Structure formats: C-alpha cells, structure tokens
Amino acid sequence: MITNDTVKYIASLSRLHIDDADLSRFGGELQNILQYVDKLSELDVSNVPPTSHVFRVENVFREDTILPSLSPVEAFSFAIESHDGHYKVPKVIE
Amino acid sequence: MDFETVIGLEVHLQLNTATKIFCGCRNDFGLEANTCVCPVCLGLPGSLPVLNRQVLFSGMKVGLALNCAINTFVKFDRKNYYYPDLPKGYQISQFDFPIAKNGFLPVITGGQERRIGITRAHLEEDAGKLIHDDRTNATLVDYNRTGTPLVEIVSEPDMRSAQEAYDYLTALKLTLQYLNVSDCDMEKGSLRCDANVSIRPRGESKLGTKTELKNMNSFSAIRRAIDHEVASQARTILSGKPVVQQTLLWNEEKGMTIPMRSKEQAHDYRYFPEPDLVPFTLTEEQIDAVRRALPELPYARLRRLIGQYGISEYDGTILVGDKLAADFFETAAAMKVDIKKLCNWMNGPLMKELNDRRCRIPGLKLTPQDLVALINRVEDGTISNLAAKDVLSDIVETGKDPNIVIREKGLAQVSDDAQLETIVDEVIRENPQVVEQIRSGKASAAGFLVGLAMKKMHGKANPKILNTAIQRRIANV
Amino acid sequence: MDLFALTAHEILELLANGKVLPDEVETSVRGRINAVNPRTNAFIRTYQENKTPANAMPIPIGIKDNICVKGRPVTCASAILKDFCPPYDAAVIEKIKASGGVILGSLNMDEFAFGSSTESSSKGIVHNPWDLERVPGGSSGGSAAAVAAGEAIWALGSDTGGSIRQPASFCGVVGLKPTYGRVSRYGLVAFGSSLDQIGPITRDVTDCARLLSIISGFDRRDSTSVDLPVPDYALGLRRDVRGLRIGIPKEYFIGGIEPAVEKAVRAAVEFFRKEGAVIKDISLPHTEYAVATYYIVATAEASSNLARFDGVEYGLRVLPDKPRKTGIVDMYEETRARGFGDEAKRRIMLGTYVLSAGYYDAYYLRALKARTLIKNDLDKAFTDCDIILSPTAPTTAFKIGEKTSDPLSMYLSDIFTIPANLAGIPAISLPCGFDAGGLPIGMQLMGAPFAEEKLLSTAYAYEQANGWHSRKAQL
C-alpha cells in the first residue's frame, strides 16, 4: 500500500518536493501502476537469469590515451552560476 | 568492564593512469580547476562512459597483491545519491561482481605476524571537490577529480587496536607502492581511509554497534581518531546508553568527532547494473599473466632478505619499507661486501643522509658500487669509520668515486712505514716517563702515546697499527 | 511543385539532375514550417546551422529535442533543462552533418520521452496533422507530425518502448527502431539506457533505408554500440518475399484492438500470403507481461538517468521561498519539483521505488527475469520465422486529453511495441490503411537482431504494392 508517508519517502529519495496536497494523488497513481506491474508475481522466475544488457557484448574498453578536454569557455558556457573557474552552488554545509 | 575493539577499514586509492576511468581527460593532480573536464566526467546529458582498459588491469594487480580471488565476470553498477560533487547523481561503482574478493594482507604488528582479511576490492569513479567559500557564502565545485579511477579496498573487521589499524595501513600502502599503481599520497588525497569502529565486552562474539569515522588525513590521525572513538564508545556503554550507528567526522585540530547530519546519512543507494557499460570477462590466462608480472611484494621480500642475507627482521623491515632502498641494498649485496656492514651503513649513515636531505635514494648521486667501495676502504683499513662518513656526505652530493675523494681529501691512513716509525720514535723520545710506565707493566698507558702519535699525523693513522708499532718499539729498545 | 512534400530520394534525384538547388528545398521546407507549425506545434525551435561543405545529401531534417546538437538548446521538452546548449554533437548529428544534412531545428516530444501522445511536453502539445484534435502519438510525436505535415523531409526520433513506431503509425509515416547497438546513443539524452535507440522517421521505406544507412555504425564512445559493418540499406530493398516466413503472434490480436486496425493488418497478412510468403501462426506467451516489465525496467533506469538534473551545473535552478530555504537539498527538491512535469515525477518515483531497499528483488530483479522470458520468446520465434507481423498500436490516433487522466491506459497503448525494445530487436512501422475516420493505421514488422535489411525489403514490397504512403495529410 502506497501511503502518503511512502510517497514522501520516495519523493525525498528522488529529491522531489511534493506539496502535501498532491501526496494522495501521486500515491493513488503509483498504487495503480504497482498493482498492475504486480502481474509479474504470477511468473515463476526462480530459474530464470536476469537480463540487464540485452546482448552479450563484453569487454569494451578505451585505451589509456589522453583526449582533449573542454576549453574553459565551453566548460562554463552552460553553467548556471560560476565563480573564479568553479561552478557555484548554494552552501552545502550550513 | 574490559572491552575488545573491532576495526575494519575502507581505503580509497586513486590509480595513476594517464586518463580518467571513463573518459580521455587527463588524470592529474593540482591542475587549474575545471580544466580537465569533458561531457562525460561533467555528466552532461547524452554522454556515455567507456572503461579505461588500464584501470581494470591495475585493479587486478591490486587484487592479486592482496591475495584476492579475481572475478572472471566483472560488472559495474550505479550507486545513486545526490551531492554536488557527483555530477550524474550516481557514482559508477561495483556492487555484486567486484574485480577482487576474499584476500588477506600479512601485517607485522606488535611483534607478531597477522593476516588481515580483505573482503573485497572494487573499481569506481572519484567525485569532484567542493570548496566552501565563506566570502561568497557558497560552495564552489571543481570537477577535475570527477572520474579519477579509484580502487576501494575493504578490510574485514580484523583489527583489534588503533595501532593494528595503523600497521595494516602502513603495510597496505607499502604493498600498493610496490605495485606502482598509485602515488599513495594522503596529502594529495590519492589514498584516503575511513574506519568502522565498534567495541564489545571481551569474550563476546557478537559485534557491537559500529560508527564510521571519516575525514582523517594521515595514518596518525586515523590512529588518534580510533583511540578517541573507542574511548567515547566505552564511556557511552559504561553510562548505560547504547552506541548510535552513525557517521562521524574527525576534527584533527580539536581532536574530536562531529556527527554528520542525519539527512546526509539516510542512504538507500538503489544499486543496479550500469546499462551504459557492458560486462567484462577475464580469462584465467589473463589473470595468470598479471600475477606473473607482479613485482615481489614487501612481505615476501622481507622473508627472502632475512633468509638469503641473514639480516635481522628489524633491518629487513627498514630496508623493505622503501622499495628503492631495498633494490639498492640487493644490488650492493651482490658485490664483494660484508652484508652486516652494508646493512648497518644503509640503515645508519645513509639513512641519515636521506633524512637530512628529506629525499629518497634516487635523490642522491650514490651508486651501490660506490657505497660498497667505501665500506671496503674502511674494512681494509684505508680510512677510518669517521672519515668514511665524511666521504659519504661528499659522494652522495657529487657522485664522485670514493677512492678519488679519499685521495683528494688526503684521508687515507698513513701506511708509509718510514713516516710512521719516525713519528713513533718521536713520541717515545719525548715521553720517557710514559715509556717507563709501559715497561713496568701499565699497558694502558700505550693509549696515551697512540693518541699523541695520531695527533702528529693529523688523524690519518690506523690506531691499531700505531699501537702495535709503539709496543714493538718499546719492547725492542 | 511543393518541394516540402517530396521524399528525400525524390529530392536527391531532382538535385542530381540539376532541376532544383539545395537552397530551394530548404526554403520550401522552412516556408512550410512557418505555415503549419502554429497548428501542429511539431517544432519547438528552428535554427540555421552552418552549411557543411561536402553537401552530398542536403536534405532538411528535424531532430527530436533529446539529441544533442552542439551549441543548440536541447531540452527534452522539459523545463528543467531550461536553455541548456550541449558543447558537443551527438554521434548521429556528426553523421548527419557529414552527409550534408540540413538541420532545421528541434522537434517536440513527450517530456524526456515519457509518454505515448506528446501531451506531456512542457512546450505545448503536438497536434496530429491528419486531425488536429488528435494526438500524434509519442513520444516522438513532433518528429512524426513534422514528417507527415511536410515540415521536415525526414526526422530523427528515439524509441524506448515504441516512441518512433507508435507516432509513425498515428501519423501515417514510416518509423524504424534499429537493433539495440546499431546506432550510437552518444548524445542522446538517456531515458531507459538499456532500451533506447535513435531511428529514422520518414515518408516512405526507401527514405527510411537511406537515413538508417547514414546514422548507423559503430561508435567507440558508446560501449553498447555493436561493431558490425553497415550495409547500404537502400540497395537491398528490392527483394522477393516469396518463401519469406512471416509469424503472426496470436497474443497480438486479442481484445482491445480496434476492428479497423485488425482488419487492415489481417489484409496485409493476406497480401503477403498471396505474394508467396509463408504465414505462420505463432505464440509469444509472455507478451502480456511486457508492459509491466517495461515500466519497471525503464522507470528504474530513468530515475537514475534523470538524477543529473539537479540545478547544480546546468539547466534550471530554483531556490525555495524563504521559510524552507536552508541549503543544497532544498535547492534540489525545489528545482526538480518545478522543473519536471507530473509524468516525469511519476516515473522518477516509480523507478526509485522499484530500486529501493526491500523492493529491488520483488520488482526490479523480477522484471529483469521477465525480460529474459520475453526475449527468449522472440529468440525462439525467429528460429522459425524471418519476420513477425502485428499492428503497431491497438488503435489509431486518439483524442487529445482522452488518456491523460489515466496513466496506466496510456502505458497500455505501447503493448505491441514494447517487446522489441525489451529484446533489443529491430522493428519498423509502416502505413497499412486508414480507418473510417481517415486516420492512418500502422503495421509493425519485427526482425531478428540486425535483420534491418530484411525488415526494410519486406516493408518495401508491401509499400510499393499498396501505396498507402502516397496519401498525405491535408493541412
């Protein structure tokens, strides 16, 4: 059962602020979808290996050779806020 | 109540590959902020990681050096958490199929040999660096370090004191230095360590509640932090309260710990297989090839040096403690030289030269040949021990042949018999009373004459030969 | 002659014969965008790229707004990316540019490709050129609508669970999801990394083959890219279907399909039978678990892929109002709350939930195992068939707003397209008729891994004999 507390917990893990007014709506929607995907519990998967990669491609490497990095102009072209060659964010520890 | 301390350590080691783990940016320390970054290590949308081949091989080396089993199937997983130094919102790490597991490291601690278990070693990417800027009241981020390849080495909770933890770290660092996969420099952050600490009543088999200590920046800080935490846990238990499982930050100046905020502690990392990287398979042949190519590791070398050269564990430990010093020793030991003397010279006068100059062997211009030559000049009586130390100070700077320096400085002891006889005659002539004493049986008085003769020869005489000459002359007169 | 209404291969012939100039084609298409985009809302933005000197194929192309073009905004139709301009080209954009392609601008989509109707875009909904009251499908709704409306000669879309094929079906155009690994994902803003592929949306099968040849190929920057040679797909189109084994999965013809859709697809089956193909009734027994499996795997991956949108480096940053303003965590929560739409929030939360402690085994791991079963069904079917034929979607284009209040019913509209993504196999959707209301119907052909040539030649045989593709939306 997806309670408001569960929605709150999941939202905080996901770093999403959810207004209290929306908790039960999201909870209901999640509940619906989870109920549907619970269909999978009908399957006997005890001897089935999981598929995380669809094809058995293995051992893809790059060699340890240096490639050009972004120029400082490029590296900060999209920065929300920067200061003295650094990306700037609100203080982390208050 | 008598408590037993239980310590497990997590060591993060930055690998010294040319490039980062998943992109071609330079893997270098101390560059200008945000100058080695690209879409991949900045976690820009659409970018994808590709594993640096060298990282997997360095990881294998570390695993094998720690006597681990190497997994023939290796995969990467995402560890999900939010922090501004982690641009993707997840760290690519290894969860259930790490590169290495189930190993041990032999450690000599408290005069005993112990095997500290290694639970696992896995590969992952490092995060960026946060700088807390009081002036702007903001946090500044440098992503140069993001994507630096790391090996995390997790020990078993096998250590029973802060000193054991210290000795384990020392042995581990030395092993890693021998592998040449990292510069292992705690000051630069290329080696970092967190400690899990708990205590339990002695005899109890169940583990106590542990706390995790972070933010120690030297081995001695780790030792201090653990000692502090053990005392603190004991006080808590003795006052009837339970130990709270939490992460504590060590404050070196104040010598105390501060708990991390609970919001940052509530972690549910939601590991799952990294879909952007394919799995890796290693064959036994590949693993064997890496194993065969491993250098001799410090512990094995210590055992061999003791066996092969008959040196003490004490001397061996000092020598092995610096791979290059041990190499130097072995090169020298292959020449015609008294091993015990060589050992004394290396761990004595040579060590002093190194300490005076705060450098290691390659920082000196000394060759093993020259050190052996110098030792042998003392042994054959050409120069005194004191003079030899003087020569050593010279040749470590100049790289000159010690024989030339001995000649240039005129340090060779006088072996010209005629000159020696003249001097002996002089002192006997000038000190009839002393000669009388010697003749009447007071042998020790000869030392006085030897000293006088030595003075006349400006120290360039072999005291033994002088003594013999004086005794003979007095007997013959 | 309206140049914008031609296919790329027709334009190339005119160019080769000196009958038109590349600029005339571009002008015609841009004029069409100006004329009809206010009604379709297919393009989010247009821009003029510098012309590449080697303009072998100067075909005007639209790019889904989740594919990076250097120095141009890429937003995934989300507010959270704000005006983010990537400092690099996606691998497919490098290839398009190298081919001389004329990039027109960015095409609308469901936010982060989360949807089947392009109604979840933060840039406004897209209208189906065949009926402006209806959705174009999704998530590549802008791409399919633009191609159908003459706003682009061809377009790139991305397909995680049917996002190329279902809108192609709804808009009466051709859309192909390549084999996983055939086309580099480098520069595609990830949704479900183990499922995503970029693919062509075109007016006919010939163009589909040509565009696929341009964008396919191995890329060292994408570890999942497969190192196999790329054939010239257009050269292999004319192939007899005689003896071709076509499987008809019984699980794809059950309740919920509109009768007109079933009728059109059955008629296509008959066409192939008459042409000498061997029609086989097959079973893909785990089909009914595909949607559930997909929504666990795709949202799990998405929840992680979208974690990078946090207001730290790029895109949107929103600081909460004073009472709650405390620090970085609040900035994350506020930025993401304002930056993501509801569907994105639902999927992020669902994905987070199925990976969280205590639920991983019950949901995520179980879904990975169900994925194996679904893939095994298809692998087994292809030992016995060359092609699997089915409807692309159970319905034709539905009304705007019809399914927005019920996320689950929206998810179920992808029921026939999802299995190809779960199994990594290639699949194409092409027009196979119209319903009574004049809305296009699409059929889907699925093939074994890297059987794109066979898919295209089969589709081509059908298209040339039936000519549905020549009917155009009237705008």
Side-chain angles (χ1 to χ4, degrees), chain B residues 103-404:
Chain B
F104 66 89
L105 180 67
V107 178
I108 296 171
T109 179
Q112 276 187 322
E113 183 194 318
R114 290 208 47 211
R115 281 184 172 195
I116 304 298
I118 304 292
T119 314
R120 55 187 272 150
H122 68 254
L123 301 169
E124 61 187 25
E125 56 181 342
D126 207 345
K129 254 189 199 147
L130 300 183
I131 302 145
H132 302 289
D133 189 37
D134 290 330
R135 210 160 41 81
T136 54
N137 196 35
T139 294
L140 303 178
V141 197
D142 175 6
Y143 290 113
N144 277 351
R145 200 177 71 176
T146 355
T148 298
L150 291 180
V151 186
E152 181 175 339
I153 301 160
V154 182
S155 85
E156 290 288 306
D158 282 353
M159 287 151 277
R160 294 290 171 266
S161 69
Q163 183 59 39
E164 271 189 34
Y166 183 94
D167 292 336
Y168 161 78
L169 286 170
T170 306
L172 179 65
K173 178 178 170 181
L174 189 60
T175 301
L176 296 169
Q177 281 173 331
Y178 268 58
L179 293 178
N180 197 22
V181 291
S182 170
D183 67 3
C184 301
D185 187 338
M186 278 196 97
E187 274 176 38
K188 289 196 220 160
S190 51
L191 191 151
R192 313 195 284 268
C193 177
D194 301 333
N196 289 309
V197 178
S198 66
I199 60 172
R200 60 185 170 193
R202 201 167 292 283
E204 169 70 58
S205 61
K206 217 175 106 229
L207 288 171
T209 305
K210 68 178 179 186
T211 54
E212 188 180 5
L213 297 174
K214 284 179 182 288
N215 201 39
M216 294 85 72
N217 48 23
S218 68
F219 287 176
S220 44
I222 291 165
R223 188 165 50 189
R224 278 192 292 277
I226 293 172
D227 276 336
H228 176 274
E229 178 57 16
V230 167
S232 155
Q233 287 187 12
R235 273 196 307 276
T236 303
I237 292 172
L238 290 174
S239 70
K241 284 182 245 155
V243 172
V244 179
Q245 180 161 355
Q246 59 182 339
T247 302
L248 300 165
L249 300 177
W250 173 246
N251 183 319
E252 177 70 17
E253 288 92 66
K254 295 183 184 157
M256 56 181 279
T257 61
I258 307 144
M260 262 174 91
R261 288 194 311 164
S262 61
K263 208 162 189 181
E264 285 158 355
Q265 298 206 23
H267 283 317
D268 181 345
Y269 289 124
R270 290 160 286 134
Y271 281 98
F272 74 100
E274 166 58 282
D276 289 331
L277 290 168
V278 298
F280 298 85
T281 50
L282 299 166
T283 62
E284 292 299 341
E285 291 73 43
Q286 283 173 311
I287 297 168
D288 274 345
V290 174
R291 197 194 314 268
R292 278 195 304 273
L294 285 183
E296 185 184 30
L297 295 169
Y299 186 78
R301 190 173 206 179
L302 171 65
R303 290 290 154 230
R304 183 175 59 77
L305 292 189
I306 293 169
Q308 185 174 340
Y309 300 104
I311 61 176
S312 69
E313 186 174 282
Y314 174 81
D315 278 339
T317 303
I318 295 175
L319 285 173
V320 167
D322 179 348
K323 178 173 186 297
L324 297 170
D327 290 347
F328 189 100
F329 169 80
E330 292 213 72
T331 310
M335 299 172 201
K336 205 169 166 292
V337 67
D338 179 321
I339 300 290
K340 180 66 195 162
K341 293 264 157 46
L342 172 63
C343 212
N344 290 346
W345 270 89
M346 285 206 58
N347 292 343
L350 182 55
M351 181 78 83
K352 183 179 175 299
E353 297 297 335
L354 290 169
N355 291 341
D356 287 351
R357 290 171 177 76
R358 297 178 181 282
C359 74
R360 296 177 60 201
I361 294 256
L364 303 181
K365 287 189 173 163
L366 182 70
T367 64
Q369 286 78 0
D370 289 344
L371 180 64
V372 167
L374 183 62
I375 294 169
N376 287 340
R377 288 300 78 75
V378 178
E379 290 312 293
D380 66 15
T382 307
I383 55 172
S384 66
N385 224 5
L386 197 67
K389 285 179 188 167
D390 191 26
V391 174
L392 183 68
S393 294
D394 187 312
I395 63 177
V396 296
E397 290 282 352
T398 61
K400 281 186 186 166
D401 181 333
N403 293 311
I404 293 173

Side-chain angles (χ1 to χ4, degrees), chain A residues 52-53, chain B residues 22 73-80 88 90-99 120 122-125 269-280, chain C residues 304 360 364 368:
Chain A
S52 53
H53 295 76
Chain B
F22 298 124
F73 177 85
V74 171
K75 75 177 181 61
F76 286 85
D77 301 274
R78 291 189 186 175
K79 178 180 181 181
N80 295 283
K88 297 188 296 295
Y90 57 84
Q91 179 191 33
I92 304 178
S93 180
Q94 298 191 296
F95 185 59
D96 48 357
F97 292 91
I99 180 84
R120 55 187 272 150
H122 68 254
L123 301 169
E124 61 187 25
E125 56 181 342
Y269 289 124
R270 290 160 286 134
Y271 281 98
F272 74 100
E274 166 58 282
D276 289 331
L277 290 168
V278 298
F280 298 85
Chain C
S304 170
Y360 182 93
Y364 183 71
L368 292 188

